[in-house]
Amino acid sequence: MKIVMIGAGYVGLVTGACFAEFGHDVKCVDTDEDKIAQILRGEMPIFEPGLEDLVKKNIAQKRLGFVTDMALVVPEADAVFIAVGTPSSRRGDGHADLSYVYDAARNIAKYLQGYTVVVNKSTVPVGTAVQVKRIIGEVAPQVRCDVASNPEFLREGAAIKDFMHPDRIVIGVDSDQAEQYLRMVYKPINLTETPLSVVDIATAEMIKYSANAFLAVKVSFINEIARLCDEVGADVVKVAKGIGMDRRIGKKFLHPGPGYGGSCFPKDAKALCAIAQEHGVPLRIVGAAIEANNSQKALMVKKIRDALGGSEAGKRIAILGLAFKPDTDDMRDAPVLTIIPALVEKGAIIYAHDPQAMIEAKKYLPWEVEYYPDPYETCRGAHAVVIMTEWNEFRALDLERLRLSMEPDPVFIDLRNVYVPNDVRMYDFRYVGVGRN
C-alpha cells in the first residue's frame, strides 16, 4: 500500500520506517527542511536503537522516502497517518494542544484524491477524529475519505521491537472500508497472530490515554510505597518483587525512582484529567498520581541534600544519566530538569554525563552544569555520585576506581536502585537508595 506519514518526529519516523520494512511504499512528510536533509544524509534527529540502520536500508531499497511538500505524495496515498506533536496546551490547563493535528488535517484535505483513510496516529483526546473529519469536509467537501484512530504504544528505547512484535494493535473505525484498509496495512504483523482490536473511534482514542494514565499510576504507587519503606525500614525492591509475582499485578513499572518523565506519561495523564474534569467526572486516582510524581522529584532533592549532611552548597555532585530513561536522548519532563536546577540554586557544583542526551540536556539545564565524556571523569573530585538514569553503562561501574577518584567519605546515591547496597558499601561508599533505608 501507499502510505504517507505526516510528521517525521519520533512516532512518524519509527512507524514509517517499520511500515517500509514490511514492504509498503512509505513517504514521510515534514515541514522542517533541516530535519529532512539530516535524515537523507543518514543522520537521525533522535536516538533510537536500530533506527538508523532501518531507515538507511529502506531508503536504499526505495520503499521509504522523505519530502517537505505533501502535495507530492498525498494524492496517491491509500492511507495518510497524522503523526505530529500534541504537547500540553500553553494555557496550562492540562489539555492537549491539537493545533498541529488540525493544521495537518487542513493541508491533507487540499490534496486528497480518490478514497483515502486519514488516520490519527498522534495521541489525541476523545472527539479529535470527529473534528479532523469536520475540517477535511469543510476544506474539501467533495473528497471521499474516512478518518480512523490508530494509537501507538511504542516505548522509547524499544520502539522498533514494540512495532514489529506488539502486544496488540488497536484501530478505531466507523466504516467497513476503513477497517479493511487498516487490516491491509497491518497484515504483515497479523500473520504473526498479533491481537488486533477493532473498536469505535472514541474507544480507540480513550484506550491510549487510559493505558498511559494507568502506568503513571503504577509508577507513582511504587514510589509512594518506597517512601513508606524508607520510614519503616523495609526494602522496596523486595516488596516490588513480592507483589509483582502476583499475575494480577505484574512486575513491570514497579521500579521506584525519581519520578516518571518523557513525552507521554506527564502530558497524557494531565490531558485525561482535563478531559474528565470538562465532563464532570474527576479522575481522583490519576490526579493523585500526578501530584505524587511532582512531589517525588522534590523528595529526591531532599534525599541528595540529606545525604550530603543537610546542605549541598559548595559540594561537587556527579550526575550519571540525564535522559528520562535509558536508550533515548529524550529530555522531555526528565526528572533532572527539576532536580539539577534546585541543587544549583542552593550552591551545588554539578558534573554530568549521559551516553546520548548531553546535547539535548544543554538546551534545558543551567549553564553552570559541566559535562564529561565518561562516568569516571564525571566523578573525579566529587563528593557524591547520583545514578539518575539506569543506562547499562552504569550497572557495572568499577567502584574502587570510582571511589579513589572522589573526595574522602563519598556518597553513592542510587536513585534507580541499580546496585546491591552492601556491594557498594564494601568500597567505603555511603550508600543511599530509594525505599531501601
Side-chain angles (χ1 to χ4, degrees), residues 85-223:
T86 54
S88 292
S89 170
R90 295 180 181 178
R91 299 192 302 269
D93 56 6
H95 282 286
D97 180 355
L98 299 177
S99 59
Y100 301 107
V101 173
Y102 294 155
D103 285 346
R106 290 186 188 93
N107 288 321
I108 290 166
K110 299 175 187 175
Y111 307 111
L112 290 174
Q113 293 181 13
Y115 178 79
T116 313
V117 180
V118 177
V119 188
N120 277 333
K121 195 70 173 172
S122 303
T123 299
V124 294
V126 175
T128 302
V130 173
Q131 296 305 317
V132 168
K133 191 164 188 175
R134 176 187 60 78
I135 289 168
I136 292 174
E138 289 176 351
V139 174
Q142 77 285 357
V143 304
R144 292 178 55 244
C145 81
D146 281 311
V147 175
S149 174
N150 174 217
E152 54 85 14
F153 302 99
L154 306 178
R155 295 170 299 160
E156 293 189 44
I160 294 171
K161 178 183 176 183
D162 286 349
F163 194 98
M164 300 295 191
H165 306 282
D167 295 327
R168 77 292 201 194
I169 299 166
V170 174
I171 58 174
V173 292
D174 60 6
S175 82
D176 291 340
Q177 191 168 8
E179 178 183 339
Q180 292 307 312
Y181 266 52
L182 286 173
R183 283 187 179 276
M184 284 190 286
V185 167
Y186 282 105
K187 185 177 180 180
I189 302 179
N190 291 341
L191 294 175
T192 63
E193 299 185 355
T194 297
L196 190 149
S197 179
V198 180
V199 297
D200 62 88
I201 295 174
T203 299
E205 291 171 332
M206 182 60 78
I207 285 171
K208 172 63 176 179
Y209 272 129
S210 299
N212 280 349
F214 181 83
L215 295 175
V217 168
K218 201 170 181 182
V219 172
S220 288
F221 170 81
I222 200 62
N223 280 337

Side-chain angles (χ1 to χ4, degrees), residues 23 47 96-97 155 193 201 228 245 316 330 335 352 358 386 420:
F47 174 74
D97 180 355
R155 295 170 299 160
E193 299 185 355
I201 295 174
L228 184 56
M245 286 189 288
R316 294 182 291 277
D330 197 338
M358 288 194 289
V386 181
V420 177

Side-chain angles (χ1 to χ4, degrees), residues 213-214 216-218 220 273 282-292:
F214 181 83
V217 168
K218 201 170 181 182
S220 288
C273 283
L283 300 181
R284 295 183 179 87
I285 293 174
V286 180
I290 295 170
E291 292 179 13

Side-chain angles (χ1 to χ4, degrees), residues 330-372:
D330 197 338
M331 290 295 300
R332 286 174 288 184
D333 275 302
V336 292
L337 300 183
T338 299
I339 295 168
I340 287 180
L343 295 171
V344 169
E345 184 180 351
K346 293 298 177 67
I349 301 165
I350 302 296
Y351 304 157
H353 170 72
D354 188 284
Q356 291 292 338
M358 288 194 289
I359 293 175
E360 279 297 302
K362 291 175 183 178
K363 301 175 185 177
Y364 301 98
L365 290 171
W367 64 268
E368 297 97 329
V369 176
E370 298 180 35
Y371 299 89
Y372 291 87

Side-chain angles (χ1 to χ4, degrees), residues 338-409:
T338 299
I339 295 168
I340 287 180
L343 295 171
V344 169
E345 184 180 351
K346 293 298 177 67
I349 301 165
I350 302 296
Y351 304 157
H353 170 72
D354 188 284
Q356 291 292 338
M358 288 194 289
I359 293 175
E360 279 297 302
K362 291 175 183 178
K363 301 175 185 177
Y364 301 98
L365 290 171
W367 64 268
E368 297 97 329
V369 176
E370 298 180 35
Y371 299 89
Y372 291 87
D374 67 69
Y376 302 101
E377 284 298 312
T378 309
C379 292
R380 188 177 302 279
H383 296 91
V385 54
V386 181
I387 304 290
M388 192 74 69
T389 311
E390 65 278 31
W391 285 89
N392 285 336
E393 291 92 321
F394 304 152
R395 291 181 178 274
L397 294 168
D398 184 335
L399 295 178
E400 183 173 13
R401 178 184 174 188
L402 210 65
R403 180 184 58 78
L404 291 175
S405 72
M406 296 175 68
E407 288 292 306
D409 192 28

Side-chain angles (χ1 to χ4, degrees), residues 262-332:
S263 62
C264 296
F265 287 8
K267 74 177 182 65
D268 291 353
K270 291 176 184 176
L272 186 60
C273 283
I275 295 165
Q277 194 70 40
E278 191 175 77
H279 287 82
V281 188
L283 300 181
R284 295 183 179 87
I285 293 174
V286 180
I290 295 170
E291 292 179 13
N293 192 60
N294 292 335
S295 64
Q296 184 73 2
K297 296 173 184 178
L299 180 68
M300 296 301 101
V301 175
K302 183 178 185 301
K303 185 177 283 289
I304 295 169
R305 180 176 298 134
D306 290 346
L308 290 168
S311 173
E312 63 269 47
K315 299 292 177 67
R316 294 182 291 277
I317 303 173
I319 303 290
L320 299 185
L322 299 168
F324 85 96
K325 64 178 288 188
D327 293 321
T328 181
D329 60 353
D330 197 338
M331 290 295 300
R332 286 174 288 184

